[in-house]
Amino acid sequence: MIAYIPEWTVLGQALIAFLVPVLAYGLSQKIYAFTRTGGGEETSRKHKPPVPAATPFHGDYEADLQFIRTAIGGNSDLRSREFPMEKINARGTLFFVDGMQSDRLLNMKIMEFLMFEATAESLAAPPSPDAMFPFRSLTHAPDLESFGRSVLFGHPGLLIEGFPGGLLIECPDGANRAIMEPVSEALLRGPRLGFSEVLSENTSMLRRQGFSDQLEMKSRRVGTRLQKDLVLAYFKDIVNPELLQEVEARISRMEIDFAVESGSVEQLIEDNGFSLFQQAQNTERPDRVISALLEGRVAILLDGTPFALIVPATFSMLLQSPEDYYERWLPASLLRMLRFLAAFLALMAPSLYISFISFHPGLIPTELAISIIETRQGVPFPSLIEVMILEISIEILREAGIRLPKPIGPAMGIVGGLIIGDAAVQAGIVSPFLVIVVAVTAISSFSIPTYSAGITLRALRFLGMLFAAFLGMFGTILFFLLLCSHLTKLKSFGVPYLSPVSPYRLRDWKDLFLRAPLSLMKQRPAMLKTKNSRRRS
């Protein structure tokens, strides 16, 4: 009996393998509870600054003019023009911010209209569809503060002598970059159209995907110091009302000075801020957004960024490409399975190498083991340090290739990788077999369609290497089980992150590892609990 008792090292490994997930689960519970309840939430509510009272228009042209110039006149890019209005027989002052609208339209059409053609009747009521006005719309400002804010937001403001309030003019924006093909999501087949930094252009791209009166967009302002426009897009006859309500509630609870990019919104509305996995998918492609909306998801578009957010997100979405639905189902399924395999290699290949070489060489075929041992002759470092040196070098080269100018970036990555890899082998720092493993790992991470998901797997790869270095194959398996347990527990707006794998829904497996023929995909994902579950209704 004594002969069958394991050695103390094996018992220690088993004890660690039991205690680590228990401690990790308890720590994650405490962190998750802190992030959801928020120790600082009550503090932020208590110290929220009071909202100042709105100042109504005085009705006196000179007094209102002086108030506006005092409130926002300190801005160097603010312009004001006082001019006579012939048909009204009054003076008017136009406030606008330089560069926020077309100067040609403002100077040659709007000013000419206001000076020679505008009448009291046309300015008192909203313009009719038949009116030939050189601007989109004309609205009345409720108070002086909102008038000043709207002018700084890019809407020219008009004060007229004898009029009780102020008018806000909406006209086309200033110069913007042309609509281009998405840079981060290149496809061989599909629409060559990507979002831009102008919110109105992005919403119009969604409208132009097809005609439907059920596509609804809700606009709101986000930011406490600098405000931006944000739009929620969804199909009102498909989306789950509870999901839409949850998205609106989380956005309304956001407290941020300035939402620079949609990534800031993503971090403030996600379920678990301490998870490495993204819980909202970002994309530059309007066709991907529309496809997600037709499944029952919600899109978040922010002014000033070409990246839209799609919620809720699942792990399988990060490995799917829009091109899967443009090709026939069989080659698309093979490519999708190849991506899942590449994701596994990008995550686990270095850990498996360390486990086999350092702890379990007997699991490798004899001839291959002998070949690997021969190539490692003279390498002065253990396998963990050896892998770390090469992996960190590859990551530095990858980051340098991204930051360098485009003409030399790809060449720098390729030439640098070849030179460093060959020099490291010649110097005896790493083995040639490890170079192959690291190269396969790096290439596999490039095949992931979503760049953010690739960053997550690259970060987790180093954690898996540490598990493998301390516990061997036990550590590699433990790392994978902990990762699976975290993904099983993780949710995105109430939807399980591993759905439809966990919880198991066979109906949704038609669009998981394989992509079934479009003729068989007649129902929307059950996990979204949509109003209308049939696609062809």
Side-chain angles (χ1 to χ4, degrees):
M1 296 293 293
I2 297 177
Y4 288 98
I5 297 177
E7 296 182 0
W8 67 270
T9 55
V10 178
L11 292 176
Q13 290 178 352
L15 181 62
I16 294 175
F18 174 75
L19 292 178
V20 168
V22 175
L23 295 176
Y25 178 77
L27 182 62
S28 66
Q29 287 289 96
K30 292 183 178 297
I31 294 176
Y32 181 74
F34 178 80
T35 57
R36 296 305 296 165
T37 57
E41 183 176 355
E42 293 297 328
T43 304
S44 64
R45 290 179 180 176
K46 290 179 182 178
H47 297 282
K48 185 179 292 185
V51 179
T55 304
F57 285 92
H58 302 91
D60 183 0
Y61 174 73
E62 295 292 343
D64 291 338
L65 198 62
Q66 183 62 32
F67 185 94
I68 294 298
R69 287 175 173 170
T70 303
I72 62 175
N75 297 279
S76 60
D77 57 346
L78 179 69
R79 303 286 183 266
S80 63
R81 293 182 182 176
E82 189 169 3
F83 53 89
M85 304 180 71
E86 291 187 356
K87 292 191 175 181
I88 300 179
N89 193 21
R91 292 178 297 164
T93 301
L94 185 69
F95 293 92
F96 60 94
V97 175
D98 194 16
M100 294 290 286
Q101 56 279 313
S102 172
D103 292 338
R104 180 181 178 86
L105 174 65
L106 189 67
N107 295 329
M108 299 187 63
K109 293 186 178 181
I110 295 180
M111 288 292 297
E112 182 180 355
F113 170 80
L114 294 175
M115 293 175 64
F116 303 110
E117 300 180 21
T119 62
E121 292 77 12
S122 63
L123 297 177
S128 63
D130 299 331
M132 301 298 292
F133 286 172
F135 40 79
R136 292 177 180 171
S137 64
L138 188 69
T139 58
H140 293 262
D143 51 72
L144 287 167
E145 283 80 9
S146 63
F147 181 88
R149 285 196 302 268
S150 299
V151 170
L152 296 179
F153 288 165
H155 299 284
L158 178 63
L159 288 179
I160 304 175
E161 185 179 15
F163 269 59
L167 301 176
L168 298 173
I169 300 171
E170 183 180 356
C171 58
D173 299 329
N176 298 293
R177 72 174 176 91
I179 298 175
M180 301 170 60
E181 183 177 352
V183 177
S184 62
E185 298 173 272
L187 296 180
L188 294 178
R189 182 174 182 178
R192 308 290 182 180
L193 188 68
F195 287 129
S196 68
E197 286 77 12
V198 182
L199 183 60
S200 58
E201 290 183 358
N202 296 339
T203 54
S204 65
M205 287 184 203
L206 294 180
R207 294 286 186 191
R208 288 198 295 266
Q209 293 293 314
F211 301 104
S212 174
D213 57 351
Q214 298 299 319
L215 177 58
E216 192 168 89
M217 300 185 186
K218 286 186 178 180
S219 178
R220 62 182 64 222
R221 290 264 169 86
V222 293
T224 56
R225 182 67 61 182
L226 292 175
Q227 293 188 331
K228 270 189 173 183
D229 289 327
L230 180 144
V231 167
L232 296 179
Y234 55 90
F235 280 94
K236 59 184 178 181
D237 63 333
I238 298 177
V239 69
N240 183 0
E242 296 180 359
L243 170 62
L244 180 60
Q245 184 178 2
E246 179 65 19
V247 175
E248 291 178 338
R250 294 192 188 186
I251 291 178
S252 63
R253 290 197 300 264
M254 284 196 323
E255 292 186 3
I256 185 173
D257 282 347
F258 175 52
V260 184
E261 213 266 345
S262 58
S264 304
V265 178
E266 176 185 356
Q267 297 174 57
L268 291 174
I269 64 175
E270 60 187 2
D271 291 61
N272 188 349
F274 287 89
S275 176
L276 286 175
F277 291 90
Q278 60 183 107
Q279 293 133 60
Q281 186 180 29
N282 58 80
T283 179
E284 291 184 84
R285 304 193 63 89
D287 56 331
R288 170 171 274 183
V289 172
I290 282 294
S291 299
L293 299 186
L294 288 171
E295 288 183 345
R297 305 181 196 272
V298 179
I300 302 172
L301 295 90
L302 182 68
D303 191 22
T305 174
F307 288 91
L309 300 178
I310 299 174
V311 294
T314 57
F315 181 76
S316 60
M317 290 175 58
L318 307 180
L319 300 178
Q320 296 173 359
S321 171
E323 204 168 11
D324 294 345
Y325 303 94
Y326 306 148
E327 297 288 350
R328 299 181 66 251
W329 72 275
L330 188 55
S333 299
L334 294 176
L335 291 176
R336 182 176 293 183
M337 292 178 63
L338 190 64
R339 276 189 230 112
F340 276 92
L341 176 61
F344 179 81
L345 291 176
L347 177 65
M348 302 297 297
S351 303
L352 293 174
Y353 172 82
I354 295 173
S355 301
F356 287 138
I357 296 301
S358 300
F359 292 87
H360 311 283
L363 297 177
I364 308 175
T366 305
E367 295 182 359
L368 179 60
I370 294 174
S371 176
I372 295 175
I373 292 172
E374 289 178 352
T375 59
R376 296 197 76 250
Q377 294 295 326
V379 176
F381 303 111
S383 57
L384 175 63
I385 304 301
E386 182 187 13
V387 175
M388 281 288 187
I389 290 174
L390 210 52
E391 282 287 351
I392 293 176
S393 301
I394 292 296
E395 292 299 328
I396 292 174
L397 283 172
R398 190 201 307 250
E399 191 68 16
I402 295 175
R403 307 304 169 194
L404 284 172
K406 289 184 179 180
I408 62 174
M412 171 65 185
I414 296 173
V415 175
L418 291 174
I419 293 176
I420 290 179
D422 182 67
V425 172
Q426 294 296 329
I429 299 176
V430 298
S431 64
F433 186 80
L434 176 61
V435 175
I436 298 175
V437 173
V438 172
V440 170
T441 303
I443 294 173
S444 299
S445 64
F446 286 133
S447 65
I448 298 174
T450 306
Y451 178 74
S452 302
I455 296 177
T456 300
L457 296 183
R458 284 156 53 188
L460 290 172
R461 181 194 308 159
F462 288 93
L463 183 60
M465 289 158 52
L466 295 176
F467 271 80
F470 285 103
L471 298 173
M473 187 58 70
F474 292 105
T476 302
I477 297 174
L478 175 63
F479 165 72
F480 188 74
L481 292 178
L482 287 175
L483 185 61
C484 291
S485 64
H486 170 68
L487 291 176
T488 304
K489 181 177 177 294
L490 189 63
K491 291 185 177 182
S492 174
F493 290 84
V495 176
Y497 200 64
L498 282 185
S499 184
V501 178
S502 175
Y504 177 75
R505 291 186 177 93
L506 181 61
R507 191 184 85 182
D508 293 345
W509 278 55
K510 296 178 182 179
D511 194 20
L512 185 59
F513 301 109
L514 302 176
R515 201 223 81 190
L518 294 179
S519 58
L520 299 180
M521 298 173 63
K522 300 179 180 180
Q523 293 180 315
R524 296 185 175 90
M527 58 185 171
L528 298 177
K529 301 177 181 178
T530 56
K531 291 181 181 179
N532 190 342
S533 61
R534 294 189 62 83
R535 293 180 185 266
R536 304 173 185 178
S537 57

